[in-house]
Amino acid sequence: MWFQLFTDPILRGPTIATMLMCMTQAVVGVFLFISKKSLIGEVASHATYPGVASALVVLSVCGLQVCVPFIFLGGMTSALLGVLFIEFLENRGVKKDSALCAVLALFFGLGTLVVSYLQQTNALVFHHITVYLYGQAATMLDEHIYFYGALSLGVLSIITLFYRKLKILFFDPLFAITSGIHIRREKILFFMIFSLTIVCGLRCVGIILISGMLILPPLAARFFTHRLPSLLCISGFIGLISGYLGNFFSLYFHEVFHKIYPTAKVSFPTGPMIILAACFIGLLAFCFSPKQGKILSLFFSWKTRCIFKLETLLLCCDENPLFKPTNLSESMGIYFLQKKGFLKKSQGDVEITDLGKAKALEIKDLYQRWFHQLESKNYRLPFGSKGIKSLLKENL
Amino acid sequence: MIDPYIGKGFFGFFGVLIQRVFSLFHTTLYMDELQIAVLICLTLLGAIVGPFLIARNMAMVANALSHTILLGIGIAYLIFFISGATNIQEMMDIKVLFLASIISAFCTLITQNFLKSFFKIQQDAGIGFVFTFFLALGVILVSFFSHNAHVGTELIMGNIDAVDLNHLKTIFLISLINCFIFLIFRRGFLISTFDRESAFLSGFRPKFYDMLIVCMTAFTTIASFRAVGIFTGLAFLIVPSLMALKKSVSLNKVMVIAFLFGMMISIGSVALSRAFFSWFNIGLSTGGILMVFMTLGLILSVIKPQYKCGAK
């Protein structure tokens, strides 16, 4: 079933198109994430609603067919208007948080006004609104693949061209001004690309959930790296996989459910499934990523503490030949040291071996050099000899 | 008796309304009056919680809550489904709603604190993660139970024309509860909003008041989702209080002014929607007209503020 999603003509469209779409969004979302403004993505995505609705009203009044670029134009315009309105409110003294929330609610409400007008006049077009509200990934065709491919290529190439300027703009606006980068122009360019991405992604996951693809992949990718280029790549990659996994699980659960309850009519919509897949990848990243994954780092710090305990035990045994373990952890430590060959059991008592003596000398030597260094410099004391060794190596 | 509001224009609406108020509604309440009553209750709810949300920078938390409410509803459905109820109408009972709101409030708060303290994720990304995750989960759960992939149009937009007396009673009860909670814990709210450290020293635990505010917001959201939809509820929470913050600095006055503004906007929007229906025979959504008035009110109040409090 893994490859069926790429070959089957019905499933091929949604899968590849959503994968490309999610990759583009993840890459664009990284820039917002690094400037700590991820919630603007949510507001902009909700602000596209009145634009899309008004475009549909205009189309239905003029009697034209559903013309997709026109709808996109409407959505982009209202998203940009929303962002400008937020800046206007902030300049006038409304707090940033509340301004975001107010614009979100107000624009969405304006959208519902327009949609209610549409509901009365043209019922067919009204049903078309649900395509944009909840996404309708399942009915995408091959031409959508080409369209999204072209879109991803365009967005990625623009980001590559303007990479340096965008990087400076989002990390440090003041430095950007002093570097001669025209902030207003670059910001408008970025937000135009951004609203284009959002509006094109409406078909995949819908207005309500699209902010997920802007927030989750960069957040997950942040746990793998510190540098911006790798952040972009990893985030795009996570977007790709979550698009694929979302489609896969939607299909899989559907089939499994049908086997168990053949008469039940349940459906697993693709949009939410993609978001859930991204969330689970994110949770895995939070826990198990190599450098910052919480559970892994807890494990490593536990391991380091164990080694520290073993070394202290070895030093104790070296200094005091009549050392007897008093509690469970000490006896376990002595057992491990025996297994490694630093201690040996003779006549019911533990005795230190030559290997053990050499190791103890090494540890003592390192500690002495360390305390020597501490007098001159201001270091935080690490646990155990391994940390000391690595810190001392820098100064040798 | 036929509805006396049918066919009236904008000012005729007010004429009929004043007549009915002075005759103390001696017959049944008509649809428009029910709508006004519901909206006034919602304004009350919003005016109580709103200034605190704005002052504590918790507006995005309110936004997150309005999305995770869907998950709460899904879990409440699940619980009732397991305990035997199979009818959808039965499930939309007030007990379900309360359970849903409390579940979602706790889920949001606890998960967000956990993410921030254990995984050290920054504040706004954490909120985004939480509500997107829960919203997706909620959409899947709810569509699972109502066999409809596009459920939730009613949740999002509300259907104020389907409001009846039971809803009014529910919403009124919820607003009474909120007022009650506010009156009991008023001092705690004030101190923990404006000076967290001294609140902690005086014995008011800030985390408890955080939780209380989130619960009150959840109650407001759940009260409003049935009548006007989630986003209008969010607007009721934030926008009248924003408008009032520009007119006054004292918290009590802000609440009163927010309530008055909200009341004027609600009555005006119901009147205008009735007027549109009479003039053009198009039933525009009352919630939408509410939003238009709120936008205009916000722009007007921000252009010439008397107090420019609220730092950039």
Side-chain angles (χ1 to χ4, degrees):
Chain A
M1 189 159 48
W2 298 91
F3 293 111
Q4 192 185 356
L5 283 171
F6 287 116
T7 50
D8 188 303
I10 303 180
L11 298 170
R12 185 170 59 193
T15 314
I16 303 185
T18 47
M19 278 168 71
L20 288 170
M21 190 48 243
C22 295
M23 182 182 76
T24 323
Q25 288 219 307
V27 169
V28 167
V30 169
F31 287 108
L32 288 175
F33 178 75
I34 59 180
S35 60
K36 300 205 191 326
K37 281 191 199 166
S38 356
L39 292 169
I40 279 198
E42 214 233 326
V43 178
S45 70
H46 283 94
T48 58
Y49 191 42
V52 164
S54 343
L56 280 173
V57 164
V58 167
L59 282 177
S60 81
V61 159
C62 299
L64 300 170
Q65 287 299 320
V66 172
C67 171
V68 170
F70 188 63
I71 296 178
F72 282 1
L73 198 65
M76 273 176 69
T77 325
S78 67
L80 282 173
L81 274 177
V83 174
L84 286 173
F85 193 49
I86 295 177
E87 274 189 45
F88 166 71
L89 283 178
E90 272 182 46
N91 285 337
R92 296 286 178 161
V94 178
K95 281 190 194 170
K96 184 168 139 183
D97 233 8
S98 331
L100 285 174
C101 206
V103 168
L104 193 149
L106 291 175
F107 270 64
F108 204 82
L110 290 176
T112 57
L113 177 70
V114 178
V115 166
S116 73
Y117 172 72
L118 206 60
Q119 195 178 11
Q120 313 274 315
T121 51
N122 195 339
L124 282 171
V125 182
F126 170 68
H127 279 294
H128 201 70
I129 278 279
T130 51
V131 169
Y132 292 104
L133 206 53
Y134 295 102
Q136 203 183 54
T139 55
M140 287 208 237
L141 308 166
D142 280 350
E143 53 204 27
H144 286 110
I145 302 182
Y146 301 136
F147 174 66
Y148 280 113
L151 177 74
S152 323
L153 225 79
V155 169
L156 287 176
S157 53
I158 291 187
I159 287 184
T160 326
L161 277 176
F162 287 93
Y163 175 67
R164 188 183 149 267
K165 291 187 181 169
L166 284 175
K167 181 170 72 169
I168 301 178
L169 180 71
F170 280 102
F171 268 123
D172 199 347
L174 288 175
F175 179 60
I177 295 179
T178 57
S179 299
I181 296 174
H182 202 235
I183 284 214
R184 196 93 186 137
R185 210 165 47 191
E186 304 294 336
K187 257 197 177 167
I188 289 185
L189 174 72
F190 178 75
F191 276 110
M192 274 177 65
I193 305 256
F194 171 63
S195 26
L196 182 69
T197 326
I198 289 184
V199 164
C200 296
L202 289 182
R203 184 78 194 268
C204 297
V205 285
I207 285 184
I208 320 243
L209 289 168
I210 211 172
S211 62
M213 286 324 289
L214 286 165
I215 298 180
L216 296 169
L219 187 60
R222 182 69 180 84
F223 277 73
F224 286 107
T225 175
H226 295 287
R227 303 184 57 240
L228 188 58
S230 31
L231 197 62
L232 287 169
C233 292
I234 296 182
S235 167
F237 183 62
I238 291 182
L240 269 178
I241 324 179
S242 53
Y244 177 73
L245 282 177
N247 280 293
F248 177 74
F249 280 120
S250 161
L251 193 66
Y252 180 69
F253 284 145
H254 202 74
E255 291 195 357
V256 160
F257 233 80
H258 263 270
K259 281 192 195 127
I260 304 179
Y261 300 103
T263 53
K265 266 202 299 180
V266 293
S267 61
F268 290 94
T270 320
M273 276 302 187
I274 297 180
I275 303 282
L276 280 183
C279 285
F280 280 122
I281 295 180
L283 280 173
L284 285 177
F286 297 161
C287 295
F288 296 114
S289 83
K291 279 188 211 154
Q292 285 179 293
K294 201 63 187 173
I295 297 191
L296 265 189
S297 68
L298 283 177
F299 172 69
F300 282 134
S301 60
W302 173 76
K303 195 169 164 198
T304 318
R305 280 202 299 270
C306 283
I307 295 182
F308 177 63
K309 273 190 209 161
L310 285 177
E311 288 176 358
T312 338
L313 264 181
L314 186 60
L315 288 179
C316 267
C317 293
D318 189 37
E319 304 212 349
N320 182 7
L322 298 170
F323 181 74
K324 281 224 181 304
T326 47
N327 59 19
L328 180 64
S329 68
E330 287 181 19
S331 2
M332 275 177 65
I334 295 207
Y335 175 70
F336 278 123
L337 285 174
Q338 271 179 338
K339 281 214 104 162
K340 284 214 166 164
F342 295 134
L343 300 177
K344 70 166 182 252
K345 225 175 165 72
S346 62
Q347 300 136 8
D349 221 354
V350 284
E351 216 182 76
I352 198 160
T353 58
D354 293 326
L355 196 61
K357 280 199 189 127
K359 180 81 176 172
L361 264 178
E362 193 185 313
I363 295 178
K364 270 197 264 190
D365 177 47
L366 273 173
Y367 267 110
Q368 273 182 346
R369 275 157 62 191
W370 174 244
F371 287 125
H372 224 54
Q373 289 264 341
L374 267 185
E375 289 167 358
S376 48
K377 301 201 183 150
N378 208 10
Y379 280 128
R380 247 182 52 208
L381 194 63
F383 264 131
S385 61
K386 197 166 166 202
I388 295 178
K389 230 196 268 187
S390 63
L391 271 175
L392 280 176
K393 256 191 213 165
E394 295 172 355
N395 301 315
L396 282 175
Chain B
M1 283 259 298
I2 53 168
D3 192 335
Y5 291 101
I6 290 180
K8 290 284 186 285
F10 187 63
F11 297 105
F13 182 91
F14 286 111
V16 176
L17 183 63
I18 294 175
Q19 269 179 3
R20 300 262 307 161
V21 165
F22 278 116
S23 64
L24 291 177
F25 307 110
H26 59 251
T27 46
T28 55
L29 275 177
Y30 289 111
M31 176 59 74
D32 284 7
E33 286 153 8
L34 265 180
Q35 290 183 7
I36 292 183
V38 163
L39 288 177
I40 289 183
C41 284
L42 288 177
T43 320
L44 183 65
L45 282 171
I48 292 178
V49 188
F52 289 113
L53 284 177
I54 296 179
R56 282 165 172 254
N57 287 326
M58 279 171 77
M60 274 330 237
V61 173
N63 180 27
L65 205 59
S66 70
H67 290 237
T68 54
I69 276 282
L70 196 56
L71 177 70
I73 293 176
I75 294 185
Y77 270 7
L78 191 66
I79 294 179
F80 276 84
F81 186 71
I82 291 178
S83 64
T86 45
N87 190 4
I88 282 263
Q89 291 313 109
E90 206 172 290
M91 291 204 226
M92 283 300 215
D93 203 14
I94 183 169
K95 301 191 279 293
V96 180
L97 299 184
F98 260 130
L99 196 62
S101 56
I102 294 181
I103 290 175
S104 46
F106 276 105
C107 278
T108 314
L109 204 60
I110 292 176
T111 319
Q112 199 185 324
N113 279 337
F114 180 63
L115 282 178
K116 205 164 137 186
S117 59
F118 190 60
F119 291 117
K120 312 241 182 343
I121 297 180
Q122 67 203 35
Q123 170 95 347
D124 56 340
I127 294 180
F129 179 83
V130 162
F131 81 71
T132 322
F133 180 35
F134 287 160
L135 185 66
L137 211 57
V139 166
I140 290 188
L141 267 180
V142 173
S143 72
F144 193 75
F145 282 112
S146 54
H147 308 304
N148 180 5
H150 293 315
V151 77
T153 314
E154 204 187 84
L155 281 166
I156 290 173
M157 300 205 242
N159 194 359
I160 192 156
D161 299 315
V163 161
D164 63 351
L165 208 57
N166 281 330
H167 286 141
L168 180 61
K169 285 181 188 161
T170 314
I171 294 180
F172 189 60
L173 193 65
I174 294 182
S175 37
L176 276 184
I177 292 179
N178 258 3
C179 283
F180 203 53
I181 298 181
F182 170 67
L183 285 172
I184 294 180
F185 293 105
R186 198 179 71 96
R187 277 186 76 216
F189 277 138
L190 281 174
I191 299 181
S192 59
T193 306
F194 295 110
D195 195 347
R196 276 179 98 95
E197 286 89 10
S198 90
F200 185 67
L201 289 172
S202 312
F204 298 98
R205 279 179 289 166
K207 284 214 167 135
F208 171 68
Y209 287 99
D210 272 341
M211 199 169 70
L212 214 56
I213 283 195
V214 168
C215 275
M216 284 169 76
T217 320
F219 289 151
T220 313
T221 317
I222 206 97
S224 61
F225 100 90
R226 198 74 174 98
V228 286
I230 292 180
F231 291 97
T232 318
L234 197 60
F236 267 121
L237 277 172
I238 307 270
V239 180
S241 316
L242 271 182
M243 282 160 44
L245 270 175
K246 296 281 168 249
K247 294 277 181 235
S248 157
V249 191
S250 139
L251 199 73
N252 295 328
K253 281 192 198 150
V254 161
M255 285 191 190
V256 171
I257 294 178
F259 180 61
L260 287 175
F261 276 155
M263 204 163 74
M264 288 190 316
I265 289 179
S266 321
I267 300 184
S269 66
V270 174
L272 196 64
S273 111
R274 170 58 68 188
F276 267 132
F277 194 60
S278 318
W279 291 335
F280 303 114
N281 215 15
I282 299 177
L284 286 179
S285 126
T286 315
I289 299 184
L290 207 73
M291 294 296 199
V292 171
F293 275 138
M294 281 201 192
T295 319
L296 289 173
L298 189 63
I299 295 181
L300 279 175
S301 74
V302 146
I303 283 182
K304 265 189 156 302
Q306 278 169 311
Y307 293 98
K308 207 173 170 184
C309 75
K312 259 212 210 158

